[in-house]
Amino acid sequence: ALRRAGVLRVEGLDDLLSAAETLARVKLSPRGGAGDRIAIVGNATGLGQMAADAVIAGGARLAALPTEALASLAIGLPCGWHGRNPITLPPEAGMQIGEAAAMLGASPEVDVVIAVHAPVPDENAETVAAALTAAARATRAAPVLVCWAGQATAGAQRAALARAGLAVFPTPEAAVRGALHLWRDRQNRLAAA
């Protein structure tokens, strides 16, 4: 009865904060998909894999990436890239995370995009944050959730992204929890209809 009324179950304070951050800022596109097909793009292999593991553990699916998006993205990807989700760009490719997120968000095979950023020495964090903000605003289809990892140097960028209206998280797992909340919210709303 609670699920049909739109209530989401959370597993503690971190989960509650992820739900609030996501549902206050993001809505799933009404274009169709189930809401559980998640694409991940970032500049850190480990963080991207942690997000992918959290997607699977949460019961959602890693989106099958469209061939045209893969062909476009492959130009800037390192040798040895396996061609699957998650997409790992080189560490210094912070600006391209936004471009890739926008491209993936426009794909009908993707319901949610998680953009994972790990700070890199000597990068212009404000420029990268602006690119992610532009990507999230440009994507009218799949929403973009941002994981801006880091503690000492990342707080200012997370705050700026939040002020810009993005759902932003400090860890890949928190960003995935946000995506899972969107999916479950959609399921609850469909069950109530």
Side-chain angles (χ1 to χ4, degrees), residues 72-141:
S72 299
L73 290 171
I75 295 169
L77 293 171
C79 293
W81 180 59
H82 54 69
R84 293 185 306 271
N85 192 359
I87 297 171
T88 302
L89 301 172
E92 64 281 352
M95 292 291 295
Q96 287 74 28
I97 295 172
E99 296 169 15
M103 185 182 310
L104 292 168
S107 169
E109 293 90 353
V110 175
D111 295 322
V112 178
V113 177
I114 296 178
V116 179
H117 177 268
V120 176
D122 299 325
E123 82 176 346
N124 185 330
E126 289 78 21
T127 304
V128 175
L132 285 169
T133 301
R137 289 182 177 162
T139 302
R140 298 282 181 237

Side-chain angles (χ1 to χ4, degrees), residues 13-15 17-19 21-22 38 40-44 46-55 113-119 145-152 154-155 158 161 167-181:
L13 183 59
D14 285 342
D15 207 21
L17 294 174
S18 283
E21 176 73 13
T22 305
I38 300 172
I40 302 163
V41 61
N43 67 337
L47 294 177
Q49 194 56 55
M50 291 168 75
D53 291 346
V55 167
V113 177
I114 296 178
V116 179
H117 177 268
L145 281 65
V146 177
C147 164
W148 195 289
Q151 189 61 34
R158 281 196 297 268
L161 289 166
V168 59
F169 305 90
T171 66
E173 295 89 353
V176 170
R177 280 194 303 269
L180 295 174
H181 287 304

Side-chain angles (χ1 to χ4, degrees), residues 7-26:
V7 175
L8 287 174
R9 180 181 174 91
V10 295
E11 302 290 332
L13 183 59
D14 285 342
D15 207 21
L16 176 66
L17 294 174
S18 283
E21 176 73 13
T22 305
L23 296 175
R25 299 178 186 275
V26 179

Side-chain angles (χ1 to χ4, degrees), residues 35-38 51-63 111 176 179-180 183-184:
D36 67 336
R37 300 171 302 172
I38 300 172
D53 291 346
V55 167
I56 301 303
R61 298 180 285 166
L62 292 171
D111 295 322
V176 170
L180 295 174
W183 171 40
R184 291 184 183 116

